[in-house]
Amino acid sequence: SDRAASSDVEARLRAALRLLDGETGGNAERIEAGVREMIAGARRDAALRVLASAWDDPEPGVPRHARRLSCEALIEEAGRGPGAAGDPWAVARLRMVRDQLFRQGIADPRVLRAMLAIPREAFVPAPLVRQAYDPNPLAIGDGQTISQPFIVGYMTEALGLRGDEKVLEVGTGSGYQAAILARMAREVWSIELREGLARRAAGTLARLDCANVRLRTGDGRAGWPEAAPFDAVMATCAPETVPPALTGQLREGGRLVAPVGGS
């Protein structure tokens, strides 16, 4: 009986996702209302599993709708209660994810889940901690900043991580981006030019038990050749051009994301 019910949920949801790609207006709204009803019903867990299985579906249009509806469900679930017991930042974190990420176009559930889980306030200097979830970059010392939440989410989504990747990060900074990547990839290798920042980031990441992050101090333009090749590379600094060593350390089919150029 349970198997039959799960098969019915899967068949109905996949049919709805396929229909959504060709519908607009009232028809699309009715289909989405049906999907949301299934997510809110007794077979919620099965419905969410079906949506998750469609995040990377090869059929055109299906992943986009599956991810968006999964994001809505994730945010709705996170907003049901007052937040994790003893976590005074849970509400601010949820608002950041909802208002600065999802409503601004970030619709990868893996990214939203990671940014709901990582305490951004832990990576911000004490005098600025009340601004940890503001929509702007914040100074972290040594003339560097922690990027605004949207940029972190945007660049992370652009890497297209699925969970089994080996990622190189150039520019550890406070360690916040590395912590997000650690929730989404198998391994993270991160390089920071400034020793003071690298030392503080290592301490923060250790306190948060980000055991799959390895750090080193050095010039990130050279990459980490002895650990190469990487499935993905993220440069959080802004080089004028992409350093050849970084593309040279990518696997075939790998992805590199970086803000390139003076503008």
Side-chain angles (χ1 to χ4, degrees):
S1 176
D2 285 345
R3 285 196 296 271
S6 295
S7 296
D8 179 60
V9 168
E10 180 168 7
R12 291 168 60 196
L13 266 179
R14 287 194 169 272
L17 293 171
R18 287 192 293 270
L19 284 171
L20 273 174
D21 197 44
E23 295 287 354
T24 58
N27 284 342
E29 290 174 4
R30 283 189 287 274
I31 295 169
E32 289 199 6
V35 172
R36 293 188 181 101
E37 185 176 337
M38 293 177 71
I39 294 172
R43 307 296 301 178
R44 173 184 175 83
D45 289 346
L48 290 176
R49 284 195 296 272
V50 173
L51 285 179
S53 72
W55 290 351
D56 304 309
D57 195 281
E59 191 166 346
V62 168
R64 177 166 57 90
H65 296 296
R67 292 183 187 191
R68 176 173 52 81
L69 290 162
S70 293
C71 286
E72 288 182 5
L74 177 66
I75 291 169
E76 184 269 334
E77 184 174 5
R80 281 180 187 170
D87 183 359
W89 298 99
V91 172
R93 198 174 301 120
L94 173 59
R95 287 174 179 163
M96 174 194 75
V97 168
R98 182 192 64 204
D99 298 341
Q100 298 179 47
L101 302 182
F102 182 62
R103 290 180 177 171
Q104 298 301 318
I106 307 300
D108 186 334
R110 288 164 282 221
V111 175
L112 300 194
R113 186 182 294 138
M115 294 187 73
L116 275 170
I118 297 299
R120 185 174 165 88
E121 71 277 5
F123 297 89
V124 173
L128 299 177
V129 72
R130 291 185 179 275
Q131 303 173 48
Y133 294 95
D134 287 358
N136 46 262
L138 298 171
I140 57 173
D142 288 333
Q144 303 302 300
T145 60
I146 179 175
S147 296
Q148 67 192 79
F150 175 80
I151 294 298
V152 174
Y154 181 82
M155 292 181 67
T156 304
E157 183 178 56
L159 276 185
L161 300 176
R162 301 293 178 261
D164 60 349
E165 295 89 354
K166 182 179 182 181
V167 181
L168 173 66
E169 181 196 27
V170 177
T172 312
S174 68
Y176 179 63
Q177 178 70 80
I180 299 296
L181 294 172
R183 297 279 302 195
M184 299 184 59
R186 174 171 50 89
E187 299 175 19
V188 180
W189 301 66
S190 187
I191 308 171
E192 172 54 50
L193 181 64
R194 296 159 184 82
E195 186 175 354
L197 285 180
R199 188 165 52 248
R200 291 197 296 273
T204 305
L205 292 166
R207 287 193 297 274
L208 294 177
D209 196 27
C210 296
N212 60 334
V213 180
R214 301 190 186 189
L215 297 178
R216 77 168 0 167
T217 303
D219 187 345
R221 291 174 297 182
W224 202 320
E226 60 269 36
F230 298 96
D231 301 294
V233 174
M234 176 184 288
T236 58
C237 52
E240 286 295 327
T241 59
V242 176
L246 300 185
T247 50
Q249 291 173 30
L250 274 175
R251 294 187 191 277
E252 286 294 323
R255 300 168 299 284
L256 182 145
V257 175
V260 179
S263 61

